[in-house]
Amino acid sequence: MSHGKTLKKIQHVIEYLFVRAFHLLVNLTPDRLKKPFAGFLAGAARLLTTSRVEVARRNLNLVFSESTPAEFKPIIRAVYQNIANNAFDVADAKSALARINTPPHALSQLEAIRTILSTGRPVVFATGHIGNWEILGQHIGREFKECR
């Protein structure tokens, strides 16, 4: 095996171990501490990825050139917080899935989909941008067990 391939394999093993450790850590963290812990990790990531923060700042400046850099700070902070929250939801998908409640206005659409499925016709879900599409797929699987 070449030197480059060996380094790449080591990198993948380290990434895998990091993800597994994160998974374990999230699942061992009590629910009441998950949000503060995600906030801590978001802040740490923001501090450790200064080049990414600078890219975000430049992009925001391109779109909102009339805004001040001080106005970008809470936006960037919120983006990092959202990424951390999503990472926690994906790592603990079972808990995240249990928190999903179908809103009353969506119940008629669920029944319409069930009616279509009962005829044997396929259904294609076209969604807009959903923050946690990994969780959405599990939710659809739970709602429409007959699709499995």
Side-chain angles (χ1 to χ4, degrees):
M1 191 178 284
S2 73
H3 181 68
K5 286 184 180 182
T6 302
L7 288 177
K8 196 66 159 170
K9 186 163 184 83
I10 291 170
Q11 178 185 353
H12 286 301
V13 168
I14 291 170
E15 289 168 352
Y16 172 78
L17 293 173
F18 175 79
V19 169
R20 295 301 298 172
F22 178 73
H23 226 265
L24 179 65
L25 190 60
V26 168
N27 285 297
L28 292 176
T29 303
D31 286 342
R32 64 182 169 71
L33 297 178
K34 285 182 180 175
K35 188 165 185 152
F37 187 38
F40 167 76
L41 291 178
R46 204 173 59 251
L47 293 173
L48 293 171
T49 59
T50 54
S51 64
R52 298 291 184 189
V53 170
E54 188 52 39
V55 168
R57 205 175 276 123
R58 282 194 313 263
N59 288 341
L60 286 167
N61 192 47
L62 287 172
V63 178
F64 304 106
S65 57
E66 70 284 352
S67 298
T68 66
E71 292 174 292
F72 299 149
K73 194 172 186 176
I75 295 170
I76 294 169
R77 181 175 286 134
V79 167
Y80 273 84
Q81 182 65 53
N82 188 47
I83 291 168
N85 290 343
N86 286 341
F88 270 67
D89 282 349
V90 170
D92 189 11
K94 190 175 188 179
S95 175
L97 185 60
R99 292 191 308 268
I100 295 176
N101 293 316
T102 304
H105 68 275
L107 293 176
S108 62
Q109 283 85 7
L110 292 177
E111 287 310 312
I113 293 167
R114 282 190 180 88
T115 300
I116 293 169
L117 289 171
S118 71
T119 67
R121 291 175 40 211
V123 174
V124 175
F125 289 91
T127 64
H129 176 72
I130 304 292
N132 256 349
W133 57 268
E134 301 91 346
I135 306 300
L136 176 66
Q138 292 181 32
H139 179 65
I140 290 171
R142 182 180 71 182
E143 286 293 329
F144 302 103
K145 290 181 175 78
E146 64 272 16
C147 291
R148 295 182 190 174

